[in-house]
Amino acid sequence: TTGGPATAAGRRGGCHRASDACGALPYSTPRTMDNLLGESASARITAPSAERNKQFILDELLKVLPDAEAVKRDGRVLEIASGTGQHISHFAAATPWLAWTPTELTSETFDSVRAWCTGLDNVAEPRELDGSAAPWAGIDDGSLDAVYACNVCHISPYAVTQGLFSGSAAALAEGGVLCVYGPFSVRGEFTTESNRAFDSSLRERDPEWGYRDVEDLEGLAEANGLAFREAISMPANNFLMLFCKK
C-alpha cells in the first residue's frame, strides 16, 4: 500500500531497539509484570519505555482524534490493554474534551492505572475487557470516537488482533479511528535484524505470539469495514497504524 510503513520509514529519528513497550503487559492469561523495568513504592508502576514514547505517540494522536471544536459531546476513546496507565493518563491530561476508558484483560494493574490517573475527571474507572471477545461486552455499537491499542498484537495470540479489528468495527462511530501502535513486519520483511531476533524470542516464549505483518492488519481492516488511513514510522522501529470506520 502506497504510503505504508516501507515508505514512511525514516519520517522520524530516534533510537533503534527491538521493541519499546508502552506500559502494556503480554496479553495472555495470566498476565505478568516481568517485563516492567521499574516499580514505585506506591501503586503507580512506571515502565521507562512508556515515558520515552508517550509524547511521540500523543503528537500523532492529536492529529487524528476529535478536537474540542469538533465534538458536540464528550468524545469517547477506549484503550485496549492499558498496562500501567502511563499512556492513558498522559493522553487524557492533554485532551480534557475526550472521555477515556482504560481496559485490561485482568485487574492486576488497575491500582497503577488509578494512581496515574488521579485527578483526571475524564478517565473512567478501569474495566476488564478481553479484546479477542468481540463484540465487546458493555460497549455499545457506534459509541466510540477512537480505539487505541499499544503493543498488543505481537504479545498476544492472533485472535486478539482479529478481535481488535472486529470489536473496533462494531464499537466505532462512522468516521471513528482505530490507532494501533507497535512493531510490525512489512510485506513479510523485518525492518531490522534486531526485530527479527525479537520476533524469534517471542515465538520461543509462546508460539502464538510474534510480529504481525502490516498486510495482515490491512486485510483485517478491509474485512471489517475499516479503511487503512496511514502507517506512521515512530521511534524504536515501531509504527502507529491508523484505520477509519467507513
Side-chain angles (χ1 to χ4, degrees), residues 105-198:
L105 183 62
T106 73
S107 61
E108 183 180 356
T109 60
F110 281 4
D111 285 346
S112 179
V113 174
R114 294 185 187 103
W116 275 102
C117 295
T118 298
L120 294 173
D121 295 335
N122 59 328
V123 179
E125 179 70 8
R127 57 186 297 173
E128 292 185 10
L129 186 145
D130 182 353
S132 67
W136 297 325
I139 307 296
D140 294 336
D141 289 355
S143 64
L144 300 178
D145 295 286
V147 175
Y148 170 74
C150 169
N151 284 346
V152 171
C153 298
H154 64 297
I155 50 175
S156 64
Y158 188 57
V160 176
T161 299
Q162 293 173 313
L164 177 62
F165 279 82
S166 57
S168 295
L172 286 171
E174 183 177 349
V177 60
L178 168 62
C179 310
V180 186
Y181 175 90
F184 300 96
S185 57
V186 181
R187 313 293 179 241
E189 300 292 333
F190 293 97
T191 56
T192 66
E193 284 303 312
S194 61
N195 274 354
R196 184 188 303 277
F198 184 49

Side-chain angles (χ1 to χ4, degrees), residues 17 35 43 53 59 80 83 85 87 104 142 158 172 189 194 197 216:
R17 293 181 293 278
N35 62 325
N53 64 28
D59 289 344
I80 301 296
H87 273 187
E104 260 297 347
Y158 188 57
L172 286 171
E189 300 292 333
S194 61
D216 295 334

Side-chain angles (χ1 to χ4, degrees), residues 22-142:
C22 59
L25 304 176
Y27 206 94
S28 61
T29 304
R31 300 185 72 181
T32 70
M33 294 188 290
D34 293 343
N35 62 325
L36 294 177
L37 303 181
E39 181 172 2
S40 66
S42 68
R44 192 169 71 175
I45 303 167
T46 299
S49 52
E51 291 300 291
R52 289 193 296 267
N53 64 28
K54 65 184 183 182
Q55 186 60 45
F56 289 108
I57 298 172
L58 176 61
D59 289 344
E60 298 299 337
L61 292 181
L62 289 174
K63 299 174 185 177
V64 297
L65 294 176
D67 59 33
E69 295 181 357
V71 294
K72 297 179 181 178
R73 54 170 173 76
D74 283 345
R76 296 188 60 194
V77 184
L78 183 76
E79 182 181 36
I80 301 296
S82 296
T84 63
Q86 289 164 262
H87 273 187
I88 198 167
S89 63
H90 188 66
F91 302 160
T95 57
W97 61 90
L98 297 178
W100 293 77
T101 300
T103 72
E104 260 297 347
L105 183 62
T106 73
S107 61
E108 183 180 356
T109 60
F110 281 4
D111 285 346
S112 179
V113 174
R114 294 185 187 103
W116 275 102
C117 295
T118 298
L120 294 173
D121 295 335
N122 59 328
V123 179
E125 179 70 8
R127 57 186 297 173
E128 292 185 10
L129 186 145
D130 182 353
S132 67
W136 297 325
I139 307 296
D140 294 336
D141 289 355

